[in-house]
Amino acid sequence: MKKIILLIVMLIGLISCNIYNEGKLMIPEMVVQNKISKKFPITKNYIIAKGVLESPKVAFKGDKLHLDMKYVLSGLGEEFKGNMKISSGIKFDSETKEIYMVGLNVDEITNNQGDKIDDAKAIAALKQIVSNYFETQPVYKYENEDGKKLNIKNIVIENGNLYVETK
């Protein structure tokens, strides 16, 4: 009798999870962290300068993707190093199965000591690297790596979590 009651409770729990999720599968931050980390470091060479973005840390807050990363800007005998925090929404292209960052915002740029950067040239260069790269390059492309076909309708960030909506 105890086994039957336990089985019924487990079945009700499983059914309620499927109803609550309504075809949504939550993707853990660590999975996204591993996929995004493979795209770094990002290096951009300019005529008289070079910019490098590396060591991204991924977080989801509200309906935004947040990246905290290290940067190095060098040129004309000067070098700037520190951290940069950006946030954006995401857009899923259902035809190519790629995710893009949209509505990109540079939230904070600091030097190695943690002080906010005031140098207008450094800020402009970092913003250009970030916006040119992240808004034109996919952050992630879904591919059937394990042979299982997942029919994706959309990928969204809600309440600090990343969800894959299936058809």
Side-chain angles (χ1 to χ4, degrees), residues 6 11 143:
L6 180 62
L11 185 59
E143 296 175 6

Side-chain angles (χ1 to χ4, degrees), residues 118-130:
D118 293 330
D119 187 299
K121 287 188 241 177
I123 292 171
L126 286 168
K127 285 183 178 181
Q128 184 179 15
I129 292 170
V130 168

Side-chain angles (χ1 to χ4, degrees), residues 82-96:
N83 288 324
M84 173 192 267
K85 294 181 181 182
I86 62 172
S87 60
S88 80
I90 61 169
K91 182 183 97 180
F92 177 69
D93 184 332
S94 59
E95 289 184 25
T96 63

Side-chain angles (χ1 to χ4, degrees), residues 18-135:
N18 285 337
I19 291 170
Y20 178 74
N21 287 335
E22 297 176 0
K24 290 183 181 177
L25 174 65
M26 189 181 87
I27 307 298
E29 268 183 19
M30 186 55 79
V31 171
V32 178
Q33 176 70 52
N34 289 338
K35 295 290 185 180
I36 289 180
S37 292
K38 290 178 182 178
K39 292 195 164 274
F40 283 79
I42 297 169
T43 303
K44 290 289 182 182
N45 290 308
Y46 298 98
I47 295 171
I48 57 173
K50 178 180 176 181
V52 179
L53 301 173
E54 58 191 5
S55 306
K57 291 184 182 140
V58 174
F60 298 109
K61 296 176 188 165
D63 62 348
K64 300 282 184 191
L65 166 65
H66 292 261
L67 287 178
D68 185 355
M69 62 195 118
K70 296 178 189 265
Y71 70 85
V72 177
L73 274 180
S74 55
L76 297 176
E78 292 186 83
E79 186 172 84
F80 296 95
K81 290 182 180 182
N83 288 324
M84 173 192 267
K85 294 181 181 182
I86 62 172
S87 60
S88 80
I90 61 169
K91 182 183 97 180
F92 177 69
D93 184 332
S94 59
E95 289 184 25
T96 63
K97 305 292 187 210
E98 296 172 330
I99 300 173
Y100 292 89
M101 295 175 79
V102 293
L104 192 81
N105 187 45
V106 177
D107 300 324
E108 183 178 84
I109 301 173
T110 59
N111 61 20
N112 274 344
Q113 291 75 36
D115 301 323
K116 286 191 176 183
I117 296 292
D118 293 330
D119 187 299
K121 287 188 241 177
I123 292 171
L126 286 168
K127 285 183 178 181
Q128 184 179 15
I129 292 170
V130 168
S131 62
N132 285 349
Y133 184 80
F134 286 114
E135 289 186 345

